[in-house]
Amino acid sequence: MSQKIQVFDTTLRDGEQVPGCQLNTEEKLQVAEQLEQLGVDIIEAGFPISSPGDFRSVEEIAKLVKNATVCGLTRAKKEDIDAAAAALKHAKYPRIHTGLGSSDTHIKYKFNSTREEMIERGIWAVKYAKSFVEDVEFFAEDAGRADLVFLAQLTEAVINAGATVVNLPDTTGYLLPHQMFQRINYLFENVPNIHKATISMHNHNDLGLATANTIAGIQAGARQVEVTINGIGERAGNTSLEEVAMILNTHKDLGFHTGINAQHLYPFSTFVSGLMGMPVQANKAIVGANAFAHSSGIHQDGFLKHSENYEIMKPEDVGVPSSAIVLTSRSGRAALRHRLQLIGFDFEKPELDKLYTRFLLMADERKQLNDEDLKELVG
Ligand code: KIV
Ligand code: ZN
């Protein structure tokens, strides 16, 4: 039986931290509305203590959202938790996301503290957040580099304090997928009460492994994924929502599913990219301009014979209107003939061969040919 993976979207918090991508409250409300339609389970709406604007955004999103859980981030500090509780007051399903550093690097250089003190502070923060809301998620920042025995103690302690979700972020994007699997597996074997909480994956993409690590974490027992659309986020970004959703859709044999309405992925990606002024790289998986574009002769010929020769997903499944046959000097006769047919010309050999010779000269010069170029070619 397929198991549900909770999708926790942090586009409006970790994603929006990207320089130049800040959104105002009105824009954030539009994103939140679309996130609900997309089918995410949890919307991390912001970090309420960070600014009056962020507080207001979380508050307004909490009022607007009806089906998803609305979450606010805090440090393990009284004033942060108070602010999040106040901002989430009107949420139908509120969640406070609180936590602190767990690696020795963070404990020493960020907190000037000790492992013992971090456990005490973590327990306090969870219990304090619990005095406002039932649903409390604890994050162990930089868990990817934390001592594993200590991480197990911290995880057990915050679960016993009442954490409903424990987030084990690879904050610096350091781990390899097999290491992530082994670490989460170790926690499942060494934290006695781990089954009382949901374990969450929150991975950064510094080595391009955020999605792979998230999938490895799921395979080891994590049941929540923290993601952003287009993978936007600090530095090299966060795990891509669209990648995780489509990996689980495409590999049903893994035995997991999400509640994501995949046809909304591309429209939502385009919407957020436009709103934030953050272009999506052309070769980005699932939502990039070239994700369903075929340009070399061998691929185009194979694709035109049967789309499954070169596509493992249908573009319409993710909301992309159609695949594209792009005409360049690497294209073959089959692609040229296909594109000519689409604009009303049907050429067979030997006319097609003659046209193809002229096509190559034009394509070498103009790089990519559009319908107007083709009409000029036909004359
Ligand atoms: O990357 C990280 O560790 C975070 C936490 C604040 C959850 O974003
Ligand atoms: Zn993060």
Side-chain angles (χ1 to χ4, degrees), residues 13 35 44 120 137 141 281 325 348 363 379:
R13 202 277 298 169
L35 281 169
E44 187 163 51
E120 287 315 308
E137 173 168 342
E141 197 180 9
Q281 74 195 58
I325 295 287
E348 302 274 357

Side-chain angles (χ1 to χ4, degrees), residues 13-14 17 44 73 97 139-142 167 169-172 202 204 226 238:
R13 202 277 298 169
D14 228 352
Q17 287 176 204
E44 187 163 51
L73 185 80
H97 187 191
F139 69 82
E141 197 180 9
D142 204 17
N167 173 15
D170 186 17
T171 305
T172 54
H202 176 118
H204 281 265
E226 307 201 2
N238 287 54

